[in-house]
Amino acid sequence: MRIESIDTTDPRNVVRGLRGAVLGAGPAIALGAAADLRADSVVAPGTAVVLTTSGSTGVPKSVVLSRSALTSSALATIDHLGAGSWLLALPAGYVAGVQVVVRSLLAGREPAILAGSFTPQTFAAAAGSMAASVGGQRLATFTSLVPAQLQTLVAAEEAGQDTRIGSFEAILVGGQALSAALAERAAAVGARIVRTYGSTETSGGCVYDGRPLRDVAVRVRDGEVQLSGPMLADGYLGDSALTDSAFIRDADGVRWYRTGDAGAFDGLLRITGRLDNVIVSGGINVSLDRVEQVVRTVPGLDAAIVVAVPDPRWGEASAIVVDRGDLRTHVLDEARQAVAAALGAPARPRDLVFVDAMPLLPSGKPDRRAARAHAVDRGGSTGDGGAA
């Protein structure tokens, strides 16, 4: 089966391509960097999308998603949230954007599309255009955002702007961890947030507010979260070794995706971080994800990220990267105290590094590699962190 490259600069191209690939007999479409695949690349019949991951922390991979996987995921979301109309406010070339389109197509509706750059004004205009009713009943509206977008809207609401964030029946938020502080601020301005967990390899979010969607199974093996269900990708294009490593079968023949995330599951899934996002500081393993979770509880740091930096004494340490703003003088000390109390003194971040604007990937996620490069290059307000 052939693959057709799609120009994602106009989201309507993606809508047309997905309509053929998911609902019709059109060719599979390539999105993101996958659009640069060789012209003679072929995939198995039933493939709908070859989608390249963002590569925020590693080498991008081209994920092969079948029509069946995408529709299974979309129908599970519709089953959980109910029917309605969707606003595409994310880039259409990423899995969360793809799923907004697929859910809309399966519901027999065109998605509303946010035109131009994402701002509180453009979001409000797009949301306002969605008002509709069926049989005299208001049609529920939904959208999907990443935390950086939510942060922008919440800040605008707090400043007195009407972004219409409260007009949505539910706003799915995924792509990265949502801090408790931002979730509380969003609720205070009327947003109904649903936290989602998943990846391109699972056709998008498949665990909502910690609970698996219909037909999704969750287990934890050796501390790693693994997922199973009809939404799993077929694998990685042209990389059978990586496919066999990431997608495994148990003794009963059930296929599981190894997420690489650490967590616990007792009916409610709790993610504690990436298994590979760990530094060794003075001989002690420190999870940067756990440090980041604690740092984000400190007022003013709810959108900060934590990255690894070299340390001449301890080998590695961590640095907090945050947008430049009117932060209190002692916020680094507060963050270090909070981390020490929660995780122990060796986990304390060493530096606080300011950026004029958090570097972002096209998907809206923080570009951690760029942030780390900035932290390594610029340094920050230095404490005496590390394994002391």
Side-chain angles (χ1 to χ4, degrees):
M1 182 176 182
R2 68 186 179 89
I3 309 172
E4 180 179 284
S5 295
I6 297 292
D7 177 10
T8 60
T9 56
D10 184 347
R12 291 172 296 184
N13 292 333
V14 179
V15 175
R16 286 191 289 269
L18 284 171
R19 182 182 291 108
V22 175
L23 300 184
I29 63 173
L31 300 175
D36 296 328
L37 294 174
R38 287 170 29 183
D40 60 351
S41 295
V42 294
V43 289
T47 300
V49 174
V50 177
L51 200 158
T52 295
T53 61
S54 64
S56 58
T57 57
V59 177
K61 303 177 290 288
S62 293
V63 182
V64 180
L65 295 168
S66 69
R67 181 183 302 117
S68 174
L70 287 171
T71 56
S72 294
S73 175
L75 290 172
T77 295
I78 294 170
D79 179 69
H80 184 81
L81 296 178
S85 181
W86 285 82
L87 168 62
L88 178 61
L90 288 163
Y94 291 84
V95 71
V98 167
Q99 275 297 357
V100 165
V101 176
V102 175
R103 294 171 198 136
S104 299
L105 294 176
L106 292 180
R109 299 185 178 91
E110 290 285 315
I113 296 175
L114 186 149
S117 301
F118 184 93
T119 67
Q121 293 77 16
T122 57
F123 183 86
S129 71
M130 298 177 69
S133 61
V134 176
Q137 296 293 318
R138 174 185 171 275
L139 187 65
T141 57
F142 306 97
T143 192
S144 185
L145 303 174
V146 294
Q149 292 174 312
L150 180 64
Q151 169 89 14
T152 297
L153 297 178
V154 169
E157 287 280 347
E158 291 171 339
Q161 291 182 251
D162 180 12
T163 69
R164 299 187 67 90
I165 193 173
S167 67
F168 292 88
E169 189 71 20
I171 298 175
L172 305 184
V173 180
Q176 68 180 103
L178 174 65
S179 71
L182 180 54
E184 291 172 3
R185 290 170 59 200
V189 297
R192 290 175 285 274
I193 300 300
V194 176
R195 300 172 187 248
T196 72
Y197 172 74
S199 65
T200 304
E201 289 86 347
T202 61
S203 300
C206 59
V207 177
Y208 285 10
D209 289 328
R211 301 190 183 280
L213 294 181
R214 183 190 68 194
D215 298 330
V216 175
V218 177
R219 71 180 187 182
V220 176
R221 292 291 184 272
D222 298 324
E224 180 186 50
V225 175
Q226 299 180 0
L227 303 171
S228 182
M231 74 297 172
L232 293 190
D234 289 347
Y236 302 106
L237 186 67
D239 198 331
S240 58
L242 184 60
T243 297
D244 292 342
S245 174
F247 296 89
I248 59 175
R249 291 190 183 273
D250 61 21
D252 296 323
V254 178
R255 189 165 177 261
W256 295 86
Y257 169 58
R258 300 178 56 196
T259 66
D261 290 326
F265 180 67
D266 57 3
L268 190 70
L269 179 62
R270 291 175 292 278
I271 301 297
T272 57
R274 290 289 299 175
L275 291 172
D276 56 1
N277 196 21
V278 174
I279 62 172
V280 181
S281 186
I284 297 176
N285 291 345
V286 176
S287 167
L288 296 185
D289 293 298
R290 295 184 67 190
V291 173
E292 185 173 285
Q293 290 167 10
V294 176
V295 164
R296 288 183 171 189
T297 66
V298 176
L301 296 179
D302 54 311
I305 67 172
V306 174
V307 299
V309 292
D311 187 278
R313 182 179 182 187
W314 305 112
E316 291 181 291
S318 64
I320 302 167
V321 181
V322 65
D323 284 352
R324 191 180 305 279
D326 186 22
L327 289 177
R328 290 163 288 108
T329 303
H330 300 295
V331 70
L332 175 59
D333 291 337
E334 291 181 37
R336 284 167 52 78
Q337 291 168 10
V339 171
L343 305 176
R348 293 175 299 176
R350 188 191 69 188
D351 299 333
L352 179 66
V353 180
F354 294 103
V355 291
D356 292 330
M358 185 67 72
L360 300 176
L361 296 163
S363 62
K365 300 179 186 178
D367 187 336
R368 292 179 180 272
R369 285 187 290 180
R372 181 180 184 276
H374 183 83
V376 170
D377 180 55
R378 297 292 298 276
S381 302
T382 304
D384 64 350

